[in-house]
PDB file of all heavy atoms in Angstrom:
ATOM      1  N   ASN A  65     -66.272 -10.888  -4.318  1.00  0.00           N
ATOM      2  CA  ASN A  65     -67.044 -12.154  -3.885  1.00  0.00           C
ATOM      3  C   ASN A  65     -66.683 -12.506  -2.467  1.00  0.00           C
ATOM      4  O   ASN A  65     -66.294 -13.666  -2.164  1.00  0.00           O
ATOM      5  CB  ASN A  65     -66.568 -13.260  -4.866  1.00  0.00           C
ATOM      6  CG  ASN A  65     -67.141 -13.102  -6.193  1.00  0.00           C
ATOM      7  OD1 ASN A  65     -68.389 -12.793  -6.335  1.00  0.00           O
ATOM      8  ND2 ASN A  65     -66.426 -13.204  -7.183  1.00  0.00           N
ATOM      9  N   LYS A  66     -66.701 -11.530  -1.600  1.00  0.00           N
ATOM     10  CA  LYS A  66     -66.446 -11.848  -0.149  1.00  0.00           C
ATOM     11  C   LYS A  66     -67.805 -11.671   0.603  1.00  0.00           C
ATOM     12  O   LYS A  66     -68.703 -10.849   0.164  1.00  0.00           O
ATOM     13  CB  LYS A  66     -65.492 -10.837   0.382  1.00  0.00           C
ATOM     14  CG  LYS A  66     -64.077 -11.060  -0.197  1.00  0.00           C
ATOM     15  CD  LYS A  66     -63.366 -12.180   0.607  1.00  0.00           C
ATOM     16  CE  LYS A  66     -62.001 -12.443  -0.053  1.00  0.00           C
ATOM     17  NZ  LYS A  66     -62.091 -13.131  -1.341  1.00  0.00           N
ATOM     18  N   PRO A  67     -68.038 -12.410   1.661  1.00  0.00           N
ATOM     19  CA  PRO A  67     -69.236 -12.181   2.503  1.00  0.00           C
ATOM     20  C   PRO A  67     -69.201 -10.827   3.122  1.00  0.00           C
ATOM     21  O   PRO A  67     -68.149 -10.214   3.247  1.00  0.00           O
ATOM     22  CB  PRO A  67     -69.167 -13.272   3.574  1.00  0.00           C
ATOM     23  CG  PRO A  67     -67.675 -13.664   3.634  1.00  0.00           C
ATOM     24  CD  PRO A  67     -67.138 -13.468   2.259  1.00  0.00           C
ATOM     25  N   ILE A  68     -70.380 -10.363   3.592  1.00  0.00           N
ATOM     26  CA  ILE A  68     -70.480  -9.117   4.267  1.00  0.00           C
ATOM     27  C   ILE A  68     -70.979  -9.346   5.635  1.00  0.00           C
ATOM     28  O   ILE A  68     -71.944 -10.134   5.865  1.00  0.00           O
ATOM     29  CB  ILE A  68     -71.486  -8.151   3.520  1.00  0.00           C
ATOM     30  CG1 ILE A  68     -70.911  -7.860   2.153  1.00  0.00           C
ATOM     31  CG2 ILE A  68     -71.751  -6.869   4.323  1.00  0.00           C
ATOM     32  CD1 ILE A  68     -71.978  -7.237   1.288  1.00  0.00           C
ATOM     33  N   THR A  69     -70.356  -8.731   6.660  1.00  0.00           N
ATOM     34  CA  THR A  69     -70.706  -8.992   8.054  1.00  0.00           C
ATOM     35  C   THR A  69     -71.676  -7.804   8.388  1.00  0.00           C
ATOM     36  O   THR A  69     -71.404  -6.643   8.134  1.00  0.00           O
ATOM     37  CB  THR A  69     -69.463  -8.915   8.935  1.00  0.00           C
ATOM     38  OG1 THR A  69     -68.545  -9.840   8.571  1.00  0.00           O
ATOM     39  CG2 THR A  69     -69.897  -9.167  10.438  1.00  0.00           C
ATOM     40  N   VAL A  70     -72.765  -8.167   8.979  1.00  0.00           N
ATOM     41  CA  VAL A  70     -73.661  -7.078   9.459  1.00  0.00           C
ATOM     42  C   VAL A  70     -73.923  -7.202  10.945  1.00  0.00           C
ATOM     43  O   VAL A  70     -73.946  -8.394  11.569  1.00  0.00           O
ATOM     44  CB  VAL A  70     -75.043  -7.108   8.723  1.00  0.00           C
ATOM     45  CG1 VAL A  70     -74.869  -6.768   7.269  1.00  0.00           C
ATOM     46  CG2 VAL A  70     -75.717  -8.473   8.823  1.00  0.00           C
ATOM     47  N   ILE A  71     -74.257  -6.127  11.644  1.00  0.00           N
ATOM     48  CA  ILE A  71     -74.574  -6.150  13.096  1.00  0.00           C
ATOM     49  C   ILE A  71     -76.161  -5.839  13.106  1.00  0.00           C
ATOM     50  O   ILE A  71     -76.472  -4.724  12.746  1.00  0.00           O
ATOM     51  CB  ILE A  71     -73.777  -5.112  13.897  1.00  0.00           C
ATOM     52  CG1 ILE A  71     -72.338  -5.651  13.801  1.00  0.00           C
ATOM     53  CG2 ILE A  71     -74.163  -5.223  15.265  1.00  0.00           C
ATOM     54  CD1 ILE A  71     -71.332  -4.629  14.209  1.00  0.00           C
ATOM     55  N   LEU A  72     -76.916  -6.732  13.541  1.00  0.00           N
ATOM     56  CA  LEU A  72     -78.396  -6.632  13.515  1.00  0.00           C
ATOM     57  C   LEU A  72     -78.917  -6.324  14.833  1.00  0.00           C
ATOM     58  O   LEU A  72     -78.560  -6.881  15.824  1.00  0.00           O
ATOM     59  CB  LEU A  72     -78.942  -7.962  13.010  1.00  0.00           C
ATOM     60  CG  LEU A  72     -78.701  -8.402  11.607  1.00  0.00           C
ATOM     61  CD1 LEU A  72     -79.292  -9.781  11.393  1.00  0.00           C
ATOM     62  CD2 LEU A  72     -79.307  -7.400  10.587  1.00  0.00           C
ATOM     63  N   ASP A  73     -79.747  -5.182  14.774  1.00  0.00           N
ATOM     64  CA  ASP A  73     -80.504  -4.969  16.104  1.00  0.00           C
ATOM     65  C   ASP A  73     -81.959  -5.292  15.941  1.00  0.00           C
ATOM     66  O   ASP A  73     -82.726  -5.099  16.864  1.00  0.00           O
ATOM     67  CB  ASP A  73     -80.238  -3.490  16.574  1.00  0.00           C
ATOM     68  CG  ASP A  73     -80.402  -2.492  15.453  1.00  0.00           C
ATOM     69  OD1 ASP A  73     -81.030  -2.851  14.409  1.00  0.00           O
ATOM     70  OD2 ASP A  73     -80.028  -1.308  15.636  1.00  0.00           O
ATOM     71  N   LYS A  74     -82.367  -5.751  14.734  1.00  0.00           N
ATOM     72  CA  LYS A  74     -83.828  -6.228  14.612  1.00  0.00           C
ATOM     73  C   LYS A  74     -83.815  -7.418  13.641  1.00  0.00           C
ATOM     74  O   LYS A  74     -82.966  -7.499  12.755  1.00  0.00           O
ATOM     75  CB  LYS A  74     -84.723  -5.094  14.089  1.00  0.00           C
ATOM     76  CG  LYS A  74     -84.379  -4.483  12.787  1.00  0.00           C
ATOM     77  CD  LYS A  74     -85.502  -3.528  12.366  1.00  0.00           C
ATOM     78  CE  LYS A  74     -85.446  -3.127  10.919  1.00  0.00           C
ATOM     79  NZ  LYS A  74     -84.484  -2.231  10.527  1.00  0.00           N
ATOM     80  N   ASP A  75     -84.779  -8.273  13.804  1.00  0.00           N
ATOM     81  CA  ASP A  75     -84.946  -9.412  12.975  1.00  0.00           C
ATOM     82  C   ASP A  75     -85.323  -9.063  11.519  1.00  0.00           C
ATOM     83  O   ASP A  75     -86.237  -8.382  11.427  1.00  0.00           O
ATOM     84  CB  ASP A  75     -86.017 -10.325  13.642  1.00  0.00           C
ATOM     85  CG  ASP A  75     -86.120 -11.706  13.006  1.00  0.00           C
ATOM     86  OD1 ASP A  75     -86.193 -11.740  11.688  1.00  0.00           O
ATOM     87  OD2 ASP A  75     -85.988 -12.705  13.652  1.00  0.00           O
ATOM     88  N   PRO A  76     -84.572  -9.452  10.516  1.00  0.00           N
ATOM     89  CA  PRO A  76     -84.829  -9.062   9.203  1.00  0.00           C
ATOM     90  C   PRO A  76     -86.143  -9.589   8.659  1.00  0.00           C
ATOM     91  O   PRO A  76     -86.742  -8.900   7.804  1.00  0.00           O
ATOM     92  CB  PRO A  76     -83.578  -9.663   8.318  1.00  0.00           C
ATOM     93  CG  PRO A  76     -82.653  -9.997   9.327  1.00  0.00           C
ATOM     94  CD  PRO A  76     -83.346 -10.307  10.637  1.00  0.00           C
ATOM     95  N   LYS A  77     -86.647 -10.587   9.246  1.00  0.00           N
ATOM     96  CA  LYS A  77     -87.861 -11.170   8.762  1.00  0.00           C
ATOM     97  C   LYS A  77     -89.144 -10.577   9.562  1.00  0.00           C
ATOM     98  O   LYS A  77     -90.026 -10.066   8.925  1.00  0.00           O
ATOM     99  CB  LYS A  77     -87.886 -12.703   8.831  1.00  0.00           C
ATOM    100  CG  LYS A  77     -88.876 -13.357   7.901  1.00  0.00           C
ATOM    101  CD  LYS A  77     -88.679 -14.865   8.003  1.00  0.00           C
ATOM    102  CE  LYS A  77     -89.846 -15.458   7.050  1.00  0.00           C
ATOM    103  NZ  LYS A  77     -89.891 -16.931   7.405  1.00  0.00           N
TER     104      LYS A  77
END
Side-chain angles (χ1 to χ4, degrees):
Chain A
N65 289 315
K66 294 278 178 284
I68 297 167
T69 305
V70 292
I71 295 167
L72 293 174
D73 49 14
K74 63 173 196 277
D75 189 306
K77 200 174 176 197

